[in-house]
Amino acid sequence: MTSLDIESLFTNIPVGETIELILDKLFPDPESIFNHFNRTLLKTLLELAVLETAFVFNGKLFKQVDGMAMDSPLGPTFGNSSMCSLEERMLDDCLLRFHPLFHSRYVDDTLVLFKGEYEANLFLDYVNTLHPNMKFTIEKENNCLSFLDVQVY
């Protein structure tokens, strides 16, 4: 039994890529309309909302160039969209010899069961090759595992 977590998910979200993922889900064909928006208009609005973020640090003004601002209202949506895509690839392309027996995710926290520690290590190595921005850490059980503030035995 293991728990996987992504290091600093929100600041490592590939924003441009995630915008395209969201648009592909909402607009399955070029003529699609979603809540009175076409693909081009929603893309423009999403880019304005997440690519034009400025913040002050140590008295200096900065522009965020990638990743989501920590307090952005769109952060959880972008985080989940990015993780859903990564999770699909993770599970669909995973080799059977280290494929998880069980997998459950909440945002970037994932509870995963394997046959043994060897398979867990192979899986960790594998998932860390899927995207350059997303680096997973692993916590292994010692008779119990903390997952989402719950002790799992």
Side-chain angles (χ1 to χ4, degrees), residues 23-91:
L23 294 172
D24 289 345
K25 291 287 184 189
L26 296 177
F27 302 97
D29 65 71
E31 302 303 315
S32 295
I33 300 294
F34 177 78
N35 284 346
H36 308 292
F37 292 99
N38 65 29
R39 183 183 178 107
T40 304
L41 181 56
L42 187 59
K43 180 177 183 174
T44 300
L45 293 172
L46 287 173
E47 287 175 344
L48 283 171
V50 298
L51 295 177
E52 298 300 323
T53 303
F55 61 94
V56 176
F57 178 73
N58 282 341
K60 293 183 182 177
L61 183 64
F62 292 88
K63 179 180 177 184
Q64 181 130 1
V65 293
D66 204 10
M68 294 295 295
M70 292 301 292
D71 61 348
S72 170
L74 288 173
T77 300
F78 270 60
N80 194 51
S81 297
S82 183
M83 285 301 300
C84 283
S85 173
L86 189 65
E87 182 178 53
E88 270 181 23
R89 288 182 35 223
M90 176 190 308
L91 296 174

Side-chain angles (χ1 to χ4, degrees), residues 4 6 83-95 98-100 103 105 110 112 123 126-128 130 134 136:
L4 298 175
I6 291 189
M83 285 301 300
C84 283
S85 173
L86 189 65
E87 182 178 53
E88 270 181 23
R89 288 182 35 223
M90 176 190 308
L91 296 174
D92 289 349
D93 299 340
C94 182
L95 296 175
F98 57 86
H99 198 282
H103 174 274
R105 179 181 63 83
T110 309
V112 194
F123 188 77
Y126 160 70
V127 296
N128 278 327
L130 294 177
M134 306 295 183
F136 287 83

